[in-house]
Every structure is written in structure tokens, then in C-alpha cells.
Amino acid sequence: NAGVMQNPRHLVRRRGQEARLRCSPMKGHSHVYWYRQLPEEGLKFMVYLQKENIIDESGMPKERFSAEFPKEGPSILRIQQVVRGDSAAYFCASSPPWVGETQYFGPGTRLLVL
Amino acid sequence: AQKVTQAQTEISVVEKEDVTLDCVYETRDTTYYLFWYKQPPSGELVFLIRRNSFDEQNEISGRYSWNFQKSTSSFNFTITASQVVDSAVYFCALSEARDMRFGAGTRLTVKP
């Protein structure tokens, strides 16, 4: 049973470009979560999605950031017009649909904005 | 609002010492879930344990043990006879519904 998959593992972008981060949940998991980890800090919740639905985006910056989880394919976290402050590790997690279930994390995408 | 505090930012021990990582949480809900994750130098997040608020039994898994005390809102993690491979950042997390709130983490260094 494959774990949560994220790609790319490392992404370098110049200021003003777009970053697209992909996440495929574990088989049987219908819920996806995105977290951001700034250097030397803990993880901060960004957004929680089900297929075709954003359930909670309270941790997502209001501008430039968006997330989707289409009916087919991986979840995508999109950052438009990246700035240096967006440099961080972005982790995706997935879980079964029940409340309180363990979230299993992918290996993360390290985004570096030059 | 839910909140997790890991007051120890860094701990350094010598191999074979026991070490306890503290976690204190705040929540208004009676139903909640607590977690510990390990983040080794390679960067991935490894799930260690999940505990729901109705189960205060302490748990032991090999050299790892967890002490959950609702009276003090704490969920502490002890590593017995630490090893160099235990060196990592350890995160405590709290979930009331779906989103998970993490503490800032404790960086554990185990020296040979």
C-alpha cells in the first residue's frame, strides 16, 4: 500500500513565477490536508479538502494561494507570483473520512524562491 | 481555540539516557485526539502515536512510552535508553475535528 506521494520533492522558482505542488493520497483516503513548515518552525495548517470540495481553508493566505482536489488526479497546491517568503517545506497529509483519524504525511516539497 | 505547547525547544542527551519530551495542550472540546510525530534529519514526518481524549491509559511501545494526563492537559513522551537514531525533531499535535494543530517541536540530539 503506497504511502502519500508528493511531487516534486524540490522546486526552485524565481520571484513572480508560479509553483504547483502535487499530492496523491494513500489508497482509500478521501481527505487531504496541506501544511507549511517554515525553516526551524513547526507545521502550520493551510487547507483541508475532500474530492471536489474545500472543507476548511482557514490557514491559507488570502492571496496568491489556492488548492484543489479534483475528482480525478492528485490534489494541487498552487502558489501564484511567488515571493521569497514562500520558501518553505510544504507537506501533504491524507486520512480516512472519520473524525480524529491519523493523518499520514507525504515526504514534502521543498520550495525555494530565488 | 486549540493550542499545543512544547516548551522544550532543544534537548541534548548522551546515548542510553532516558529523556522526556513535554507537551501541554489547550482545548474546550471534550472529544479530541492527540498525536506525536517524529521528523528525522531526512525531513519526512513519521507517525508515532494517536490517543483519543477518552483513553487515559499510558502506552508503551518498545523504548517509547506516552503519559496522557487530562488533569494537567499533558501528553508527554519518554524515550528510554536513547539511541543516536532517536535524534530528530518531535512534534506533538492536537485535533478536535479535522485540522491538526502542531506544537513548535522539540529538537532532540542524542550524542554517542
Side-chain angles (χ1 to χ4, degrees):
Chain A
N1 191 11
V4 179
M5 297 170 65
Q6 289 186 251
N7 67 80
R9 296 290 303 275
H10 300 273
L11 183 60
V12 180
R13 285 288 177 266
R14 295 193 180 279
R15 279 179 298 171
Q17 291 184 320
E18 178 179 287
R20 279 186 181 236
L21 288 60
R22 286 175 290 278
C23 169
S24 297
M26 283 178 71
K27 189 175 180 181
H29 287 186
S30 55
H31 291 56
V32 165
Y33 311 78
W34 286 95
Y35 294 84
R36 177 164 63 177
Q37 185 178 30
L38 294 170
E40 303 300 318
E41 291 190 14
L43 281 81
K44 296 288 193 289
F45 168 77
M46 298 180 74
V47 62
Y48 153 51
L49 311 101
Q50 291 176 341
K51 286 279 187 184
E52 302 183 283
N53 266 318
I54 296 175
I55 306 302
D56 180 353
E57 56 182 348
S58 57
M60 193 92 103
K62 294 286 183 272
E63 297 178 352
R64 303 187 297 107
F65 285 72
S66 62
E68 62 176 9
F69 189 14
K71 189 176 180 182
E72 301 290 338
S75 175
I76 306 282
L77 179 67
R78 183 181 176 209
I79 311 172
Q80 295 177 287
Q81 299 176 310
V82 295
V83 301
R84 288 218 173 108
D86 296 333
S87 296
Y90 292 83
F91 287 93
C92 168
S94 73
S95 77
W98 306 284
V99 172
E101 283 294 328
T102 299
Q103 295 180 21
Y104 292 92
F105 283 81
T109 295
R110 273 81 182 161
L111 172 65
L112 176 63
V113 179
L114 301 177
Chain B
Q2 57 191 99
K3 185 178 171 182
V4 178
T5 302
Q6 295 181 255
Q8 306 147 308
T9 52
E10 293 192 33
I11 300 176
S12 181
V13 299
V14 177
E15 211 170 15
K16 296 184 185 175
E17 283 186 30
D18 299 347
V19 58
T20 296
L21 310 181
D22 298 333
C23 173
V24 174
Y25 61 92
E26 292 178 33
T27 178
R28 294 177 184 171
D29 281 16
T30 55
T31 301
Y32 53 90
Y33 303 84
L34 295 162
F35 303 81
W36 276 94
Y37 287 86
K38 173 183 179 179
Q39 188 173 40
S42 50
E44 73 273 23
L45 279 153
V46 179
F47 165 72
L48 295 178
I49 189 170
R50 167 182 175 265
R51 176 68 73 206
N52 75 55
S53 53
F54 299 107
D55 183 2
E56 284 193 77
Q57 267 196 325
N58 292 331
E59 177 145 345
I60 298 174
S61 175
R63 296 183 297 106
Y64 294 172
S65 62
W66 290 269
N67 184 352
F68 176 29
Q69 292 197 346
K70 288 176 76 169
S71 60
T72 55
S73 297
S74 65
F75 186 42
N76 297 337
F77 172 32
T78 297
I79 302 175
T80 303
S82 59
Q83 300 176 1
V84 172
V85 293
D86 295 328
S87 296
V89 180
Y90 290 85
F91 292 100
C92 180
L94 166 69
S95 174
E96 293 167 342
R98 295 287 182 188
D99 58 317
M100 191 178 295
R101 308 293 171 175
F102 283 78
T106 297
R107 181 178 299 278
L108 173 66
T109 302
V110 181
K111 298 178 182 176

